[in-house]
């Protein structure tokens, strides 16, 4: 557990440095604590009309990408948001990206994923992509 916390802190620091932001948050928790029914539409470029729908989709993405552990709390991917900006979403991952991963992000969330360094990828909202 301690090793996972250290890895999350290292990833958060790298993301913050890349984006010039002080705060980096795990995406599901940030959405749950900071979005409402109006701001979720702006945040997702109107792909999701409710906070719960976005959170459900994020949880489905985690499930499809593979979750392990007795409590289902170990994942090969963790999604982060730098600051409060909808266009500063990152994925930390311990597996190499493949087409299946890209399809999950595209189909479930309307996001493209591009690896920017080993184990760290940037997610971008797809233009005119409907879900």
């Amino acid at each position: 557990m301690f090793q996972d916390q250290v890895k999350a802190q290292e990833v958060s620091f790298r993301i913050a440095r890349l984006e010039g932001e002080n705060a980096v948050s795990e995406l599901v928790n940030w959405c749950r604590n900071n979005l409402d029914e109006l701001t979720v539409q702006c945040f997702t470029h109107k792909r999701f009309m409710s906070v719960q729908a976005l959170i459900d989709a994020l949880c489905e993405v985690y499930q499809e990408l593979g979750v392990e552990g007795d409590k289902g709390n170990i994942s090969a991917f963790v999604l982060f948001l730098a600051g409060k900006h909808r266009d500063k979403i990152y994925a930390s991952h311990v597996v190499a990206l493949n087409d299946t991963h890209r399809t999950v992000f595209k189909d479930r969330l309307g996001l493209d994923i591009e690896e920017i360094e080993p184990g760290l990828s940037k997610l971008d909202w797809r233009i005119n992509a409907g879900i």
Side-chain angles (χ1 to χ4, degrees):
M1 179 69 167
F2 176 73
Q3 188 176 19
D4 292 339
Q5 290 173 338
V6 171
K7 288 179 187 177
Q9 288 174 349
E10 290 172 7
V11 170
S12 293
F13 178 74
R14 287 192 330 229
I15 294 169
R17 189 179 69 232
L18 284 169
E19 293 290 358
E21 296 284 352
N22 291 326
V24 175
S25 307
E26 192 279 328
L27 188 58
V28 173
N29 290 328
W30 186 88
C31 291
R32 185 175 287 128
N33 295 323
N34 293 281
L35 294 177
D36 60 31
E37 301 308 305
L38 293 176
T39 56
V40 71
Q41 295 173 40
C42 180
F43 180 76
T44 65
H45 298 265
K46 295 190 177 182
R47 284 171 179 79
F48 294 92
M49 303 308 277
S50 74
V51 175
Q52 191 59 53
L54 174 58
I55 290 170
D56 290 347
L58 289 167
C59 291
E60 287 175 9
V61 165
Y62 277 123
Q63 290 296 320
E64 284 190 51
L65 294 173
V67 178
E68 300 174 8
D70 294 339
K71 296 180 181 178
N73 58 354
I74 300 171
S75 176
F77 286 80
V78 179
L79 305 180
F80 293 97
L81 177 72
K84 296 180 180 181
H85 304 280
R86 65 183 180 201
D87 297 324
K88 295 183 178 181
I89 302 172
Y90 288 84
S92 170
H93 44 90
V94 295
V95 297
L97 285 179
N98 62 39
D99 288 341
T100 301
H101 301 137
R102 287 181 177 86
T103 300
V104 169
F105 283 107
K106 180 181 75 170
D107 292 349
R108 293 285 182 209
L109 299 172
L111 291 164
D112 287 325
I113 184 167
E114 180 182 342
E115 191 166 37
I116 56 173
E117 62 181 63
L120 184 62
S121 295
K122 179 92 165 81
L123 294 156
D124 290 306
W125 296 105
R126 296 175 58 82
I127 297 172
N128 297 326
I131 293 187

